[in-house]
Amino acid sequence: MIFRKEILLIFYILTAVMKIKLPKLHNQILIALIAGAIFGSIFNVSRTALIISYKAIDETKTISIRDWKKFSFVSEGMTFDSISFKAHQQIEIINYFKKVQASDRKVSIILEKYFSTEADGKFDFSILPNVILVNKEKTIATKIKWLGDIFIRLLTMIAIPLVLGSLTVGAASLGDIKKFARIGGKTISFYLVTTSIAISIGLVAANLIQPGKRMNVETKERLLSVYSKDVEVKIGTAEEYNFIDEIVKLIPKNPFAAIANAEMLQIVLFALMLGLVLSLIPKSKGEPVIKFFDGLSEAMIKMVDLIMLIAPIGVFALISATVGEFGFDILQTLFWYVAAVLFGLFTHTLGTYTLIVKLFSKIKLSTFFKGMRKAQTIAFSTSSSAATLPVNMECCQENLGVSKSITSFVLPLGATINMDGTALYQGVAAVFIAQVFGMDLNFMQQLTIVLTATLASIGTAPVPGVGIIMLIIVLKSVGIPEEGIALILGVDRILDMCRTITNITGDAAVAVAVASSEGELLHPDLKNA
Ligand code: ASP
């Protein structure tokens, strides 16, 4: 046998590979996260290159351009647009194109390039007619984002049936109205108190660090112009806030429509009421319905186990696409603002939640934070409390020993209404923007921020990027210019990832405290205590 040696070698390698024990899932996810960040920073999207698609006669052509002397748009009717752009103005060009496109005008691009690389003064002109796309170039790091999207969509797919199923069962399992009111009261009080503490920490951090006063005028002007288009869109999405209206809107006219439109607060209200009345009607009628919802939520939790098998791939793809697309350089520009938000989030997550876990339960701190690792990594990579909910429920029940009924009541409620990280960031952002615009906020204004940010965080949907839309309401309440959100848009994604960790950790800390006060914390730590 000629290949005997080679075959043996392959056999040995295969058996060696099979003997390598894969690390535990949460470590695999952590490794994927770090590897994704490294991969994304290696295959970073260029900050200058653009890809342009245009229609020449009947053909669509796509080219990639990297360097130019002058970049001008010419709109239909040959009126020369006075705006021309330099090489570093990638985002301005893309935004300008979006504006022109929205106005339905046909545009061409005149590109004045250096003739040779030595920039010897000779230029070459190209005309790209009927432009249909102007965008950043993609790299392998951003091209694999779809793998991450599949992962987030799978987790989000579970969230609504899970919230409906588990909250209904959770509310029904509390047994009677008295217990329902007691546990509901405790949970909501904890949520309101922790959220107010979170915003206060945010306000203190922003007043201490004064990030707005450390920003120079040039950076301010640049950020305001670069993100002006995105701000228009965000301001358009933010609705007028009216407290009474919000209360009225809590009640779904049609619960099925609420489910179809993912109206989380309405689903929560319906599930709580349904669960409560199921425990009030005769057992023979209530029990089968409760069993149905119980089966539904169990099935959703089982589905999470399956989805988590691809978590390392999903996390890798999400992080590499985010780092590849946004890079870390914007973090430098907004260093003090980012520092104030992160300082606040750290203080709240490690300080306030430590206090809650220590004061209200006998669980060891290390058990709490270790038990939460998996949920925290998923929160960081998906930026969505809703997508993290199933994993958070699993962590609370299995690692922290919170009983099933408390988990199913406290966590889905928290994922929808309790957003400490979001509220904290809104506090910092409001003060930051005010500082940049030279406004000094007095005590009453800061108190108004505490109130509105608490309400806004309750109304924030547990999905990526909604915090910044709700921030507009907070800014309006104290008269800070809304267009100021342009200053912080560039770092919003990264901070969203971080604040989502705080959001879900807060829900778990409250679940531990409530469970402990009800004698429903079953972790082995307690047996030795
Ligand atoms: N992404 C956050 C969450 O889902 C909400 C936000 O702050 O935008 O918890």
Side-chain angles (χ1 to χ4, degrees):
M1 282 281 283
I2 323 164
F3 296 121
R4 200 170 154 263
K5 257 198 203 156
E6 284 79 357
I7 290 172
L8 266 181
L9 188 67
I10 291 173
F11 177 74
Y12 284 137
I13 293 174
L14 277 180
T15 31
V17 167
M18 279 157 69
K19 274 188 196 149
I20 296 173
K21 252 179 88 191
L22 280 174
K24 282 198 179 141
L25 185 63
H26 60 256
N27 287 334
Q28 284 181 37
I29 299 173
L30 209 65
I31 295 170
L33 199 143
I34 298 167
I38 297 173
F39 192 76
S41 41
I42 295 174
F43 297 101
N44 219 300
V45 170
S46 157
R47 300 272 173 270
T48 53
L50 285 167
I51 70 162
I52 299 177
S53 297
Y54 61 98
K55 270 199 179 141
I57 314 175
D58 275 339
E59 253 188 302
T60 303
K61 286 189 179 162
T62 300
I63 59 159
S64 164
I65 54 166
R66 295 184 167 268
D67 196 14
W68 57 86
K69 168 98 175 109
K70 202 169 163 195
F71 187 113
S72 325
F73 285 99
V74 186
S75 59
E76 215 174 27
M78 290 311 279
T79 34
F80 275 84
D81 229 306
S82 55
I83 299 178
S84 51
F85 299 93
K86 294 258 156 52
H88 67 275
Q89 291 184 297
Q90 185 198 48
I91 302 183
E92 283 94 327
I93 292 175
I94 295 173
N95 283 344
Y96 186 80
F97 177 68
K98 277 188 206 158
K99 235 191 248 174
V100 179
Q101 211 180 22
S103 69
D104 258 358
R105 278 184 290 160
K106 270 193 187 158
V107 280
S108 306
I109 288 170
I110 298 188
L111 203 58
E112 202 174 298
K113 291 181 287 186
Y114 288 111
F115 194 72
S116 65
T117 44
E118 304 113 47
D120 51 8
K122 287 188 203 153
F123 302 122
D124 169 24
F125 290 89
S126 327
I127 297 182
L128 315 176
N130 300 327
V131 180
I132 45 178
L133 175 112
V134 178
N135 221 335
K136 290 181 188 173
E137 251 183 9
K138 289 201 163 168
T139 68
I140 175 85
T142 52
K143 277 186 191 153
I144 56 171
K145 184 167 175 280
W146 63 274
L147 287 169
D149 289 340
I150 289 184
F151 177 60
I152 294 201
R153 289 180 80 110
L154 282 169
L155 283 175
T156 318
M157 168 181 93
I158 293 179
I160 289 184
L162 183 64
V163 168
L164 179 68
S166 63
L167 253 188
T168 308
V169 179
S173 69
L174 298 182
D176 56 83
I177 293 199
K178 255 193 187 165
K179 195 172 176 197
F180 180 88
R182 191 178 69 238
I183 297 189
K186 273 188 213 172
T187 309
I188 303 231
S189 313
F190 264 119
Y191 283 159
L192 287 178
V193 172
T194 50
T195 305
S196 320
I197 297 178
I199 312 168
S200 311
I201 292 179
L203 291 177
V204 170
N207 284 305
L208 276 182
I209 300 178
Q210 305 243 326
K213 297 202 172 149
R214 296 171 194 260
M215 173 172 268
N216 59 38
V217 184
E218 225 173 78
T219 319
K220 172 188 160 185
E221 295 304 331
R222 189 166 59 80
L223 290 173
L224 286 178
S225 90
V226 168
Y227 292 103
S228 61
K229 176 78 193 153
D230 300 278
V231 172
E232 272 169 37
V233 177
K234 302 257 181 230
I235 293 182
T237 357
E239 287 167 14
E240 278 298 317
Y241 192 83
N242 178 315
F243 186 65
I244 308 279
D245 275 0
E246 294 305 309
I247 303 276
V248 174
K249 272 197 261 159
L250 276 182
I251 301 150
K253 277 200 233 161
N254 171 357
F256 298 101
I259 293 169
N261 299 327
E263 291 289 350
M264 285 301 230
L265 284 174
Q266 297 188 345
I267 299 172
V268 164
L269 187 92
F270 177 71
L272 288 176
M273 288 177 71
L274 179 65
L276 184 68
V277 295
L278 280 173
S279 66
L280 300 179
I281 59 175
K283 260 199 164 162
S284 60
K285 297 200 170 147
E287 206 64 20
V289 186
I290 297 175
K291 278 203 173 126
F292 165 78
F293 282 112
D294 197 22
L296 179 71
S297 67
E298 286 276 315
M300 292 304 118
I301 294 190
K302 189 83 210 149
M303 224 185 256
V304 178
D305 288 342
L306 294 179
I307 297 169
M308 288 309 283
L309 293 176
I310 61 155
I313 301 173
V315 168
F316 175 84
L318 286 172
I319 300 291
S320 89
T322 312
V323 175
E325 166 112 35
F326 300 104
F328 291 116
D329 34 356
I330 182 94
L331 291 182
Q332 267 170 5
T333 323
L334 287 162
F335 180 82
W336 291 108
Y337 165 69
V338 171
V341 175
L342 292 185
F343 170 77
L345 291 177
F346 262 110
T347 314
H348 188 62
T349 311
L350 296 181
T352 314
Y353 300 149
T354 295
L355 270 181
I356 290 184
V357 172
K358 276 252 165 230
L359 288 180
F360 296 97
S361 80
K362 289 194 180 124
I363 201 170
K364 281 190 200 148
L365 272 184
S366 55
T367 310
F368 177 76
F369 283 107
K370 261 193 207 154
M372 285 300 294
R373 267 194 318 213
K374 192 156 121 191
Q376 288 173 331
T377 7
I378 298 300
F380 183 74
S381 22
T382 60
S383 289
S384 164
S385 307
T388 314
L389 176 66
V391 187
N392 203 10
M393 287 179 73
E394 192 184 275
C395 288
C396 273
Q397 261 175 255
E398 283 171 21
N399 305 344
L400 310 181
V402 178
S403 72
K404 190 177 158 193
S405 75
I406 298 285
T407 308
S408 2
F409 181 81
V410 177
L411 288 191
L413 192 63
T416 320
I417 67 166
N418 184 46
M419 308 238 174
D420 293 356
T422 301
L424 187 150
Y425 131 89
Q426 288 173 341
V428 180
V431 177
F432 169 70
I433 297 172
Q435 284 170 354
V436 175
F437 284 96
M439 291 171 65
D440 267 326
L441 298 174
N442 60 29
F443 181 74
M444 272 322 280
Q445 284 173 307
Q446 306 224 11
L447 201 66
T448 313
I449 294 180
V450 175
L451 279 175
T452 43
T454 306
L455 294 177
S457 73
I458 294 176
T460 303
V463 288
V466 182
I468 199 153
I469 295 173
M470 300 306 273
L471 173 64
I472 296 169
I473 294 164
V474 179
L475 297 181
K476 270 189 183 166
S477 72
V478 280
I480 303 172
E482 299 142 49
E483 56 283 7
I485 62 168
L487 300 167
I488 55 170
L489 261 178
V491 284
D492 197 60
R493 176 69 202 195
I494 309 257
L495 292 183
D496 194 1
M497 294 156 88
C498 302
R499 64 188 187 242
T500 308
I501 297 185
T502 306
N503 288 347
I504 61 110
T505 311
D507 301 340
V510 171
V512 165
V514 173
S516 172
S517 72
E518 292 290 321
E520 294 197 36
L521 194 60
L522 322 158
H523 195 269
D525 268 5
L526 302 173
K527 286 183 195 145
N528 314 326

